[in-house]
């Protein structure tokens, strides 16, 4: 506690913007840390510095994220902005303003903007039916989309199928083409997930003819654009 508090100026303060509580003075800061380590002597505080903005030669503003890890609790994250002043050859904290930071989003949180893909979708045209079925993987870390592309030279077309009450997702013997005009079906299994290395939503596709492909999902003003890897 003494070592940590020594980073504050004698009258430095810490303000919790969520509660409005203020801790003023190096001795008060030391008491806060003393209570913390009395409750949990394995407590750990980490800082992620996002920006350092010099104001003058002896004043700077530091923005970042602090992370408090306790033995029996989930880590707590706070976003802070601190004003540091230079005293001789040392930089000391004059003021800190902090507020709770949102928890890191889960993989499912990252994919929530694409949750509208869930369900069954199909496009019927003369000679071609494209069907898709999509749902969450069991662990919620991926969306799995199944594609079925059916090329049928004798396809009756959307109007006729609709009139007959036959959904394109379910092939039917009523419209089987002659043997000399076989139906061609191609299936694609697509995994949609969050790529932590790239920081973006990605698709990995595996086709029944042995081909594969990868796409990035790019958000546009009105929807999504899929960009295929070169």
């Amino acid at each position: 506690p003494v070592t940590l508090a020594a980073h504050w100026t004698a009258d430095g303060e810490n303000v919790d913007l969520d509660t409005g509580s203020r801790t003023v003075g190096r001795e008060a800061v030391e008491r806060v840390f003393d209570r913390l380590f009395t409750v949990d002597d394995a407590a750990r505080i980490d800082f992620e510095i996002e920006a350092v903005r010099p104001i003058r030669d002896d004043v700077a503003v530091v923005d970042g994220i602090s992370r408090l890890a306790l033995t029996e609790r989930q880590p707590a994250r706070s976003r802070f902005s601190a004003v540091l002043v230079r005293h001789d050859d040392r930089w000391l904290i004059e003021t800190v303003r902090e507020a709770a930071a949102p928890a890191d989003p889960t993989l499912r949180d990252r994919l929530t903007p694409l949750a509208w893909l869930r369900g069954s979708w199909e496009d019927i045209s003369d000679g071609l039916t494209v069907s898709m079925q999509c749902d969450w993987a069991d662990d919620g870390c991926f969306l799995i989309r199944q594609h079925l592309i059916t090329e049928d030279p004798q396809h009756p077309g959307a109007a006729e199928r609709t009139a007959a009450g036959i959904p394109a997702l379910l092939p039917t013997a009523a419209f089987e083409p002659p043997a000399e005009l076989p139906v061609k079906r191609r299936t694609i299994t697509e995994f949609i997930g969050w790529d932590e290395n790239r920081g973006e939503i990605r698709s990995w596709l595996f086709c029944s003819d042995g081909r594969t492909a990868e796409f990035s999902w790019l958000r546009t003003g009105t929807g999504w654009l899929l960009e295929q890897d070169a």
Side-chain angles (χ1 to χ4, degrees), residues 1-2 4-15 21-35 92-97:
V2 174
L4 285 172
H7 290 286
W8 267 258
T9 62
D11 55 354
E13 68 171 4
N14 193 96
V15 179
S21 64
R22 299 171 68 243
T23 303
V24 181
R26 183 182 296 159
E27 292 183 0
V29 172
E30 181 181 330
R31 287 195 296 270
V32 170
F33 286 123
D34 186 59
R35 288 195 298 270
L92 300 178
I93 300 170
E94 182 71 33
T95 66
V96 178
R97 301 289 188 270

Side-chain angles (χ1 to χ4, degrees), residues 7 15 21-22 36 55 97-98 117 124 139 144-145 148 159 182 188-189:
H7 290 286
V15 179
S21 64
R22 299 171 68 243
L36 173 65
I55 305 301
R97 301 289 188 270
E98 62 178 338
L117 288 173
I124 307 170
D139 57 7
I144 301 178
R145 187 159 58 161
L148 173 62
I188 300 173
T189 300

Side-chain angles (χ1 to χ4, degrees), residues 66-88:
S66 65
R67 181 177 179 272
L68 173 62
L70 301 175
T71 303
E72 298 182 356
R73 296 184 188 178
Q74 290 293 326
R77 299 169 70 249
S78 296
R79 181 169 293 280
F80 70 86
S81 183
V83 176
L84 275 67
V85 295
R86 186 165 60 186
H87 289 259
D88 297 327

Side-chain angles (χ1 to χ4, degrees), residues 77-225:
R77 299 169 70 249
S78 296
R79 181 169 293 280
F80 70 86
S81 183
V83 176
L84 275 67
V85 295
R86 186 165 60 186
H87 289 259
D88 297 327
D89 293 330
R90 295 190 61 202
W91 286 92
L92 300 178
I93 300 170
E94 182 71 33
T95 66
V96 178
R97 301 289 188 270
E98 62 178 338
D104 290 332
T106 65
L107 293 177
R108 187 177 181 122
D109 292 336
R110 301 282 196 185
L111 298 177
T112 296
L114 294 181
W116 56 269
L117 288 173
R118 296 178 62 235
S120 298
W121 308 75
E122 62 186 4
D123 179 73
I124 307 170
S125 59
D126 292 341
L128 185 68
T129 298
V130 179
S131 306
M132 292 182 289
Q133 294 180 333
C134 182
D135 208 345
W136 291 106
D138 290 341
D139 57 7
C141 294
F142 290 94
L143 282 164
I144 301 178
R145 187 159 58 161
Q146 301 286 347
H147 305 249
L148 173 62
I149 299 98
T150 303
E151 299 179 34
D152 185 351
Q154 298 295 320
H155 196 292
E160 188 174 349
R161 289 190 71 120
T162 301
I166 302 172
L169 286 171
L170 303 174
T172 174
F175 291 110
E176 284 298 329
E180 65 271 16
L181 296 172
V183 172
K184 295 180 181 179
R185 290 192 177 92
R186 183 158 49 101
T187 61
I188 300 173
T189 300
E190 178 184 9
F191 293 86
I192 305 172
W194 176 258
D195 188 330
E196 188 66 33
N197 292 329
R198 294 196 181 200
E200 63 184 11
I201 297 175
R202 303 266 292 160
S203 277
W204 295 267
L205 284 76
F206 302 88
C207 187
S208 57
D209 62 9
R211 290 183 296 170
T212 62
E214 296 183 22
F215 292 87
S216 295
W217 289 72
L218 307 178
R219 192 66 184 262
T220 67
T222 58
W224 291 88
L225 177 68

Side-chain angles (χ1 to χ4, degrees), residues 52-63 82-85 91:
V52 177
R53 294 176 286 132
I55 305 301
R56 299 194 318 237
D57 289 344
D58 59 347
V59 179
V61 175
V62 178
D63 298 317
V83 176
L84 275 67
V85 295
W91 286 92

